[in-house]
Amino acid sequence: MLLSIAFILLAGMFMGWLCAKLKLPGLLGMILTGILLGPHAWNLIDSSILGISSELRKIALIIILTRAGLTLNISDLKKVGRPAVMMCFVPASFEIVGMILLAPPLLGISVLEAAIMGTVVAAVSPAVIVPKMIKLIEEGYGTKKGIPQMILAGASVDDVFVIVLFTAFTSLAQGKTVNAIRFINIPVSIGLGILFGILAGTLLGVLFQKMHVRDTIKVLIILSISFILVSLEDSIATPITFSALIAIMFMGTAMKKRRAEMAKRLSAKFNKIWVCAEIVLFVLVGAAVDISYAVSAGITVILLIFGVLVFRISGVLVCVLKTNLSAKERLFCMLGYLPKATVQAAIGGVPLAMGLRCGNIVLAVAVLAILITAPLGAFLIELSYKRLLVK
């Protein structure tokens, strides 16, 4: 295991640095590292690490969402209002509809299979988007109109909506009935996540005010509370749940509201942890990618992915209509909402594991969606934000 960790960190850092030198997103190098080191290529990552890969990826997401919360200002988010709410579900809905319209004639699959494929592809990647939006907030680009805050919040909630739809469609494909409670649970889980997060953050703010400990200890306490929230969500068997990842982000936001100076220091601490967590996250995302599926998919699947991205961009445009954003700022919102990675790596292989007829093609589309949109979206954000947004 230790040798595998060394390979992941050293090769991930080197490939990330190499891509940065070539003016490409560093995460592209990390994903490529994972593909090469993973079980579908050189098989240099220990099976014990691959066995807990999903948990390690979740820890990395917890770190970056906590940092996002410590950076996010609720008053800025309130200013955005309606577009921020719409970004949580409208672009994903447009992309799913696009998949339902395009996939059956292009791939010869049924409408239900296309819907399953759409829900796999439709989720954006908070792991890619959140660090980029934090960077914009710290540099002050687009913050006056709440643009990075809006994209950050939408990317954090979007996954909850998509995964619920994915569960519903796969249940239908297996001949099961879909419970309406699942759909009611979408807004409820988001609302409860925000509530629990604000409550936990407020209590931690009070605790840290009374208990004078090092910032490193505070970070460990916050991470421990975050792990408890995620474990609690996983253990709840009731139809109504809460979103732990949203709770974690709003926990940081509540701490920032109560003690802004402390939040700034803690954000810097989490930024240092993210240096390692980012490498682990994207190398393990790459390790989950079976490149043979991407190679066998052919040009039709690539055209399909770009086709549904047009629907996603249209959905983002609908969200920012009738706002005070300029044409350049609206264009940035469309580009900033493209990357996919973590959700596709997590659920892309589920239909195949279920034995569904569309399993192989869904996995191929998920793999290509990661390889195309994660580096492309990250590259376009980096390339355009100084030109399209006001500092």
Side-chain angles (χ1 to χ4, degrees):
M1 181 188 281
L2 293 178
L3 186 61
S4 296
I5 293 171
F7 284 149
I8 288 170
L9 294 176
L10 291 173
M13 281 190 290
F14 173 74
M15 290 292 283
W17 170 82
L18 185 62
C19 283
K21 283 289 183 183
L22 297 172
K23 305 297 182 185
L24 296 170
L27 66 89
L28 174 60
M30 297 170 200
I31 291 174
L32 289 174
T33 300
I35 292 171
L36 293 173
L37 297 182
H40 307 295
W42 297 342
N43 198 23
L44 294 177
I45 299 178
D46 194 275
S47 59
S48 57
I49 294 178
L50 294 174
I52 58 168
S53 173
S54 60
E55 285 79 10
L56 292 173
R57 295 200 304 262
K58 193 168 282 187
I59 290 171
L61 274 178
I62 287 169
I63 290 166
I64 194 57
L65 285 173
T66 304
R67 187 178 165 221
L70 291 166
T71 309
L72 189 63
N73 195 323
I74 289 181
S75 60
D76 288 339
L77 200 54
K78 284 179 181 175
K79 279 191 277 185
V80 182
R82 174 188 59 84
V85 175
M86 291 179 70
M87 290 284 275
C88 298
F89 65 92
V90 172
S93 299
F94 269 59
E95 191 163 5
I96 292 167
V97 170
M99 188 67 79
I100 290 170
L101 292 174
L102 298 178
L106 285 174
L107 302 178
I109 60 177
S110 69
V111 170
L112 180 56
E113 289 169 336
I116 293 170
M117 187 181 291
T119 55
V120 169
V121 174
V124 292
S125 175
V128 179
I129 291 175
V130 171
K132 297 292 182 188
M133 294 307 114
I134 291 174
K135 180 182 176 183
L136 265 61
I137 291 170
E138 290 174 345
E139 293 184 13
Y141 281 93
T143 51
K144 189 173 181 181
K145 294 184 181 179
I147 294 167
Q149 295 95 320
M150 173 182 69
I151 295 173
L152 190 155
S156 304
V157 178
D158 168 278
D159 295 356
V160 177
F161 171 69
V162 169
I163 289 170
V164 169
L165 290 181
F166 172 76
T167 307
F169 290 140
T170 50
S171 295
L172 282 174
Q174 290 180 307
K176 300 176 184 176
T177 57
V178 176
N179 196 329
I181 295 291
R182 288 186 187 275
F183 295 96
I184 295 170
N185 187 45
I186 296 173
V188 173
S189 66
I190 293 167
L192 287 175
I194 293 171
L195 180 65
F196 290 165
I198 291 173
L199 181 62
T202 303
L203 291 174
L204 284 175
V206 172
L207 177 67
F208 293 152
Q209 201 165 11
K210 295 182 182 296
M211 183 181 73
H212 297 288
V213 294
R214 294 171 58 188
D215 286 342
T216 304
I217 302 297
K218 291 171 186 170
V219 167
L220 292 175
I221 292 170
I222 292 167
L223 284 175
S224 299
I225 298 295
S226 300
F227 296 160
I228 290 169
L229 286 170
V230 171
S231 300
L232 186 61
E233 182 192 13
D234 292 340
S235 65
I236 292 175
T238 58
I240 298 297
T241 59
F242 75 100
S243 173
L245 293 179
I246 293 170
I248 289 162
M249 188 172 76
F250 276 88
M251 180 170 67
T253 305
M255 281 189 283
K256 177 181 170 67
K257 187 177 174 79
R258 186 166 189 89
R259 298 191 64 196
E261 190 56 41
M262 180 196 74
K264 189 175 180 180
R265 296 197 312 271
L266 292 178
S267 178
K269 291 277 186 184
F270 275 98
N271 192 26
K272 291 174 182 176
I273 301 172
W274 174 244
V275 172
C276 175
E278 180 185 30
I279 298 167
V280 173
L281 172 63
F282 288 113
V283 170
L284 291 178
V285 165
V289 169
D290 187 345
I291 199 71
S292 63
Y293 282 105
V295 172
S296 65
I299 191 70
T300 306
V301 170
I302 296 173
L303 292 173
L304 176 65
I305 290 169
F306 279 105
V308 296
L309 283 179
V310 173
F311 280 83
R312 167 169 284 279
I313 288 169
S314 303
V316 175
L317 181 60
V318 168
C319 295
V320 295
L321 288 176
K322 296 185 179 178
T323 63
N324 64 343
L325 301 186
S326 67
K328 286 184 176 181
E329 289 165 336
R330 293 179 188 185
L331 175 60
F332 177 81
C333 292
M334 295 179 218
L335 299 178
Y337 224 52
L338 292 179
K340 306 163 190 299
T342 36
V343 175
Q344 288 71 28
I347 66 174
V350 171
L352 182 61
M354 287 178 171
L356 299 182
R357 189 174 67 93
C358 61
N360 277 321
I361 191 64
V362 168
L363 182 56
V365 171
V367 168
L368 276 170
I370 294 170
L371 295 176
I372 292 169
T373 65
L376 177 65
F379 175 72
L380 290 174
I381 291 170
E382 279 293 327
L383 182 70
S384 66
Y385 79 95
K386 290 184 180 178
R387 301 173 185 179
L388 301 179
L389 300 180
V390 176
K391 186 171 183 179

